[in-house]
Amino acid sequence: MNKESNEFQYSPALESTSIVKIAERYGHFINGKFTSSRSGKTFATINPATEEILAKVAVGSKVDIDLAVKAASGAYKKVWSKLPAKERGKYLYRIARLMQERAREFAIIESLDNGKPIRETRDVDIPLAISHFFYHAGWADKLDYAGLGIAPRAHGVAGQIIPWNFPLLMLAWKIAPALAAGNTVVLKPAETTPLSALLFAEICQEADLPPGVVNIVTGDGKTGAEIIAHRGIDKVAFTGSTEVGKAIALSLATTGKPLSLELGGKGANIVFDDAPLDQAVEGIINGIFFNQGHVCCAGSRLLIQENIYNEFLEKLKNRMGKIRVGNPLDKNTDLGAINSKAQLQKIQTLTRAGAAEGAISWQPESSLPKKGFWYPPTIFTDVTMAHRIAREEIFGPVLSILTFRTAQEAIEKANNTPFGLSAGIWSEKGSRILWVAKELKAGVIWSNTFNKFDPASPFGGYKESGWGREGGRHGLASYLLRNEASAKSPSRKLVR
Amino acid sequence: MAATHAFPERAKSLGITSEKSLLKFLSSLPGIDQIGVEERAGYLATRSIKNESKRWAIDLALSMVDLTTLEGSDTDGKIRALCNKGLHPDPFDKTLGRVGAICVYNDKVKIARNHLDQIGGSDLPIAAVSTAFPAGRASMAVKIQDTRDAISDGASEIDMVIDRGAFLSGSYQDVFDEIVTIKSQCGDDVHLKVILETGELVSYDNVRKASYLACLAGADFIKTSTGKISPAATAPVVLIMLEAVRDFMNLSGIQIGVKPAGGIRNTKDAIKQLVLVNEIAGSQWLSPKYFRIGASALVNDLLMQRMKARDGYYASSNYVTLD
């Protein structure tokens, strides 16, 4: 052994996939049963790290959606709305416990289908998804305290469209509050990541959830559009791109259907010169490289106070050199695969635009696997507010770095975006943190940390980042209607 | 007050030539966010080190152990046994090298040195704990004499303790002067490890401050603990010290070593330490020259895990020597 200097090479530490059984084909989950698509059409879902086909999944068409909505509507009228609230809570608790029992399966299947590291699915996605069910299970029989008067009512059937970046977690964000509030659901997982939702369907069966309370229809954007347009849907919830969100808002404009949207972002992480620098570096890394940057609330713009720019950049680059890119099933992988070819191309297009507009890109040395979709951790310096990479959501592991001189300038730059989802403030000075947080137009603001989620904490955006909140009492409210008859009841004083 | 203080070259090169400039330097260090640093340490603790990399890490860790006995009940016999163990941790496998050093109390240095020289271990360093270890509560004259004795008896490494009382009361210059004085006793040939006793320093900010103070004053190594106070070498503390030596190297060009001590009892703990070194300070620190682990029971667990890696099964503890 050379004792002067050593390279510590971590041997592969692969999570075994033996406990996961993926079927060759999947149908929709309608009225408590798996049913094949009426059209017979299927699409393949692949492992983005290897481009291997994982399973064939049904494409939902109008007929399938009719069936799903009918099942949901029947279940709402006949069963779910008649059930005592605490019984709804019991089902949710049961689902949460069954998910815990099969957490490892969920973690592996999510990693396979999405490309994200097993470390993240195991430690973040799955535990958080489960905690959303536990949290909302508790709400089911306490809706009188949701701030909407005595006995607020459910909408009926909720149509829910979720994205591919946190497939199971987004499912939990949608289904848990909807069921707790007394709605039934028709949910469509993203085209590239349907498998964890289909495993969740199995959990619904195991939990003996009454048929039709949860219906899962797979498919692409057209399938989603059919769900949203369906007259049997009473409430629409969408998480995804701002572009699609706007189209949905337009399409529902005259229907009066309640709509909640959780869309894109271009979050600013603001580092002041008195910040705890090493932890700030970690926060920046976590903010943009967590989940390959496929995070709507990612801290994709870094604003560094000018006087610490060089020192901070040096630390950031050094830290980026330690990021381990590769096989998502390796327990030591920090950065996994890009979810799809289309997303990779979008990242490439935007980073090319960044370079063409004069920003300077830097990447640590890393070797990417030959097969699959990969993009190395990347930072751009010399970025100005006019650059596309400072304005558009890249949704990849790409950070745009800008500087500021005064707090006022940082606030102006952070707010100068059509989005308003997240922001981070790094400083040891409490008064400054509070003042800057007050001035920022963002739905979620973290100070001296980033990407912290809790089911009790509402999440959502300003401006083009969305309508409504998810999580907490605020999130629950979007699945409830105020019972006007009781709106002035004295019990309102019980809640804030 | 016209007290004169000596400032070593490395401090002067960073503009530290007076008490005022020393205080200014220490107060300008960035703060540490407790939650953030604990989160980072927790993250790195989930690294999964398997197979080939585990075998490699075990051998590296063995070469870094400062095999230690610091008991009031230490006898010459125990010291000799420790020396044998340190020179040949696994008597049946001569491919395995020696540990990093033997670490003993001052009065046992001579017996250790003589015994090692007799058994062919003249290149195995002896570290002596010094300056009224572990409390550091003695006059400066006593501390100097303590150090001189150890060196003249054959210690090539001195593990000194800092005066935590002085540090916590803000008398940084006093702590600085003490380290400078002890380093001057050591000269260039004897390595000085400065024990911060992080379990008594209360905050992570203080750990960083004390780390820099020791680096500036002439330490060759900074060491977490005496082993007599708990908590000792916790992961966040080691992480902060590794950040300090990494940043100090960028500032001054001088590479200082780190020695966690206390509470590292098994292979898993030791490998976690190596992961910290690798990902925080970098591979330049992955050598006994710059990283040591102060421990006693650890060696046997490393040996058992080494046998397991070689043979495929766990041997009974009777297959490793007691001491």
Side-chain angles (χ1 to χ4, degrees):
Chain A
M1 197 193 303
N2 169 16
K3 295 223 168 152
E4 281 304 304
S5 175
N6 292 292
E7 288 299 328
F8 195 170
Q9 310 280 1
Y10 302 165
S11 304
L14 299 181
E15 179 74 44
S16 163
T17 57
S18 61
I19 60 162
V20 171
K21 283 187 204 72
I22 300 176
E24 261 178 59
R25 275 171 179 277
Y26 285 94
H28 309 301
F29 181 69
I30 296 173
N31 211 21
K33 287 197 268 307
F34 282 96
T35 50
S36 55
S37 186
R38 294 294 141 144
S39 66
K41 277 192 202 156
T42 61
F43 65 95
T45 183
I46 64 165
N47 177 347
T50 60
E51 297 178 56
E52 281 162 7
I53 292 177
L54 293 167
K56 298 266 184 161
V57 181
V59 179
S61 62
K62 188 154 190 330
V63 202
D64 303 310
I65 289 151
D66 274 340
L67 286 171
V69 174
K70 211 172 140 194
S73 164
Y76 175 71
K77 285 181 193 135
K78 291 182 202 124
V79 188
W80 202 240
S81 62
K82 302 271 196 297
L83 218 54
K86 71 171 185 198
E87 296 301 319
R88 288 204 309 272
K90 281 189 196 168
Y91 279 113
L92 288 168
Y93 278 122
R94 197 180 297 166
I95 288 171
R97 285 193 303 268
L98 287 168
M99 287 172 81
Q100 273 184 324
E101 280 173 21
R102 298 178 72 175
R104 200 160 206 91
E105 264 178 89
F106 272 114
I108 294 164
I109 225 165
E110 197 80 309
S111 181
L112 284 171
D113 204 16
N114 173 281
K116 63 172 72 190
I118 184 77
R119 195 188 52 72
E120 284 176 14
T121 59
R122 181 193 67 200
D123 297 347
V124 183
D125 292 56
I126 311 304
L128 257 179
I130 294 167
S131 70
H132 270 266
F133 278 95
F134 276 119
Y135 172 79
H136 286 98
W139 264 118
D141 60 356
K142 300 169 193 73
L143 299 180
D144 289 354
Y145 303 92
L148 297 165
I150 291 283
R153 291 181 291 120
H155 291 284
V157 180
Q160 306 177 318
I161 318 285
I162 56 171
W164 46 262
N165 59 340
F166 293 94
L168 188 73
L169 183 60
M170 292 300 106
L171 174 148
W173 281 26
K174 295 278 182 286
I175 292 186
L179 297 195
N183 303 272
T184 57
V185 305
V186 175
L187 175 131
K188 186 192 85 69
E191 189 182 355
T192 57
T193 56
L195 294 185
S196 56
L198 294 164
L199 182 59
F200 179 80
E202 284 180 31
I203 297 277
C204 294
Q205 286 180 326
E206 274 184 61
D208 270 334
L209 190 70
V213 172
V214 168
N215 302 277
I216 291 167
V217 180
T218 49
D220 56 11
K222 279 186 202 143
T223 313
E226 293 283 0
I227 294 176
I228 286 158
H230 201 286
R231 284 163 185 263
I233 297 282
D234 302 304
K235 189 249 162 3
V236 173
F238 172 80
T239 297
S241 72
T242 292
E243 195 189 341
V244 177
K246 282 182 181 176
I248 293 173
L250 278 174
S251 77
L252 293 180
T254 54
T255 64
K257 260 184 220 179
L259 170 65
S260 47
L261 296 170
E262 207 269 274
L263 309 175
K266 193 71 187 174
N269 239 328
I270 306 169
V271 182
F272 288 98
D273 61 1
D274 68 341
L277 292 187
D278 290 300
Q279 286 74 50
V281 168
E282 285 309 315
I284 305 309
I285 294 279
N286 176 280
I288 189 62
F289 301 123
F290 173 65
N291 202 31
Q292 297 69 251
H294 303 328
V295 186
C296 49
C297 58
S300 50
R301 287 182 297 157
L302 169 58
L303 301 176
I304 311 179
Q305 196 153 19
E306 211 170 40
N307 56 334
I308 55 162
Y309 176 76
N310 289 329
E311 183 188 0
F312 195 79
L313 193 63
E314 217 37 61
K315 276 180 178 282
L316 186 66
K317 286 181 174 177
N318 175 51
R319 175 65 181 82
M320 282 174 70
K322 311 284 183 193
I323 295 175
R324 307 175 63 84
V325 188
N327 188 347
L329 287 176
D330 190 318
K331 290 172 215 166
N332 293 324
T333 291
D334 300 320
L335 194 75
I338 301 300
N339 179 253
S340 66
K341 194 171 196 173
Q343 188 55 33
L344 180 61
Q345 283 165 348
K346 188 186 161 197
I347 296 168
Q348 286 164 338
T349 304
L350 278 164
T351 48
R352 269 197 297 268
E357 288 174 7
I360 301 186
S361 92
W362 183 88
Q363 298 165 334
E365 269 180 55
S366 63
S367 61
L368 302 177
K370 295 266 182 311
K371 291 205 95 178
F373 315 127
W374 304 91
Y375 202 84
T378 304
I379 53 174
F380 274 99
T381 52
D382 289 14
V383 180
T384 71
M385 291 299 287
H387 281 116
R388 271 183 82 185
I389 51 169
R391 308 205 67 78
E392 289 181 38
E393 186 176 36
I394 300 174
F395 224 61
V398 182
L399 179 68
S400 302
I401 303 180
L402 299 96
T403 58
F404 66 92
R405 201 164 289 175
T406 64
Q408 193 58 50
E409 184 188 347
I411 291 163
E412 281 165 14
K413 283 183 168 172
N415 285 342
N416 181 218
T417 162
F419 298 110
L421 191 51
S422 72
I425 306 168
W426 297 84
S427 169
E428 289 266 274
K429 189 170 176 177
S431 59
R432 172 151 61 199
I433 291 171
L434 293 174
W435 175 66
V436 174
K438 186 167 70 71
E439 297 296 314
L440 288 174
K441 295 281 175 284
V444 188
I445 297 168
W446 288 290
S447 74
N448 293 333
T449 190
F450 210 84
N451 276 344
K452 287 283 172 294
F453 306 98
D454 189 287
S457 168
F459 180 94
Y462 274 73
K463 300 189 275 186
E464 292 192 13
S465 288
W467 293 347
R469 293 290 179 267
E470 295 191 284
R473 188 172 61 80
H474 307 73
L476 188 73
S478 73
Y479 287 95
L480 287 170
L481 283 167
R482 178 180 289 278
N483 187 342
E484 291 302 339
S486 70
K488 292 198 170 73
S489 113
S491 77
R492 280 187 74 215
K493 285 178 189 157
L494 290 175
V495 287
R496 274 184 290 150
Chain B
M1 211 169 71
T4 52
H5 305 287
F7 290 89
E9 274 312 311
R10 54 171 81 172
K12 283 186 201 158
S13 75
L14 296 174
I16 297 166
T17 52
S18 63
E19 178 168 6
K20 210 171 160 187
S21 51
L22 175 67
L23 295 186
K24 193 173 168 216
F25 182 93
L26 292 177
S27 67
S28 72
L29 294 170
I32 291 174
D33 186 79
Q34 182 188 339
I35 292 169
V37 73
E38 288 174 359
E39 208 168 68
R40 177 72 178 137
Y43 182 108
L44 289 176
T46 67
R47 289 287 190 230
S48 178
I49 305 303
K50 303 251 186 244
N51 306 323
E52 187 50 40
S53 55
K54 185 173 180 182
R55 280 192 279 276
W56 182 88
I58 289 172
D59 282 7
L60 181 63
L62 272 165
S63 76
M64 290 171 161
V65 172
D66 276 7
L67 190 59
T68 304
T69 183
L70 295 171
E71 302 297 334
S73 55
D74 284 346
T75 59
D76 290 358
K78 185 173 178 192
I79 300 298
R80 280 193 291 266
L82 196 76
C83 291
N84 287 338
K85 179 96 175 175
L87 192 58
H88 300 298
D90 182 350
F92 302 105
D93 185 355
K94 300 282 178 188
T95 64
L96 180 59
R98 56 176 179 76
V99 299
I102 301 292
C103 181
V104 293
Y105 264 117
N106 195 326
D107 62 329
K108 296 294 176 196
V109 171
K110 193 176 266 175
I111 177 81
R113 186 71 274 159
N114 287 343
H115 185 65
L116 278 175
D117 291 347
Q118 275 172 27
I119 60 172
S122 49
D123 63 337
L124 180 49
I126 293 181
V129 294
S130 179
T131 67
F133 180 95
R137 296 258 70 88
S139 71
M140 201 54 213
V142 168
K143 290 178 182 177
I144 291 172
Q145 192 57 46
D146 200 15
T147 309
R148 278 186 187 157
D149 287 351
I151 295 171
S152 71
D153 282 351
S156 50
E157 301 181 359
I158 293 293
D159 289 22
M160 72 170 282
V161 289
I162 63 165
D163 181 344
R164 281 86 74 188
F167 181 88
L168 289 170
S169 64
S171 309
Y172 301 130
Q173 186 68 50
D174 292 350
V175 180
F176 187 90
D177 290 347
E178 226 175 82
I179 299 171
V180 170
T181 306
I182 300 299
K183 180 59 192 171
S184 73
Q185 297 299 318
C186 295
D188 291 336
D189 296 335
V190 175
H191 268 234
L192 178 66
K193 306 196 197 105
V194 176
I195 303 173
L196 310 179
E197 195 64 304
T198 54
E200 288 184 345
L201 294 186
V202 188
S203 73
Y204 290 138
D205 286 325
N206 275 344
V207 173
R208 171 171 282 174
K209 214 175 260 185
S211 298
Y212 273 92
L213 185 69
C215 289
L216 288 167
D220 298 299
F221 258 78
I222 49 177
K223 176 175 169 184
T224 60
S225 329
T226 58
K228 305 292 183 194
I229 295 277
S230 185
T234 65
V237 156
V238 177
L239 191 155
I240 289 164
M241 290 168 66
L242 286 164
E243 281 175 352
V245 295
R246 175 196 70 196
D247 294 345
F248 188 75
M249 169 114 162
N250 284 338
L251 273 180
S252 67
I254 300 168
Q255 187 174 0
I256 310 288
V258 174
K259 177 179 170 184
I264 303 163
R265 292 193 184 86
N266 58 42
T267 303
K268 216 169 193 170
D269 293 342
I271 290 179
K272 280 179 189 169
Q273 297 283 340
L274 297 185
V275 167
L276 283 176
V277 177
N278 189 41
E279 301 207 27
I280 301 296
S283 55
Q284 293 146 277
W285 269 265
L286 279 174
S287 133
K289 203 173 161 195
Y290 295 108
F291 195 74
R292 295 280 183 82
I293 301 170
S296 39
L298 172 66
V299 167
N300 273 355
D301 194 66
L302 286 167
L303 290 174
M304 304 243 309
Q305 290 291 341
R306 197 170 179 270
M307 283 194 259
K308 152 77 167 57
R310 187 187 61 205
D311 305 332
Y313 55 85
Y314 284 102
S316 129
S317 59
N318 289 333
Y319 289 85
V320 291
T321 55
L322 207 52
D323 52 24

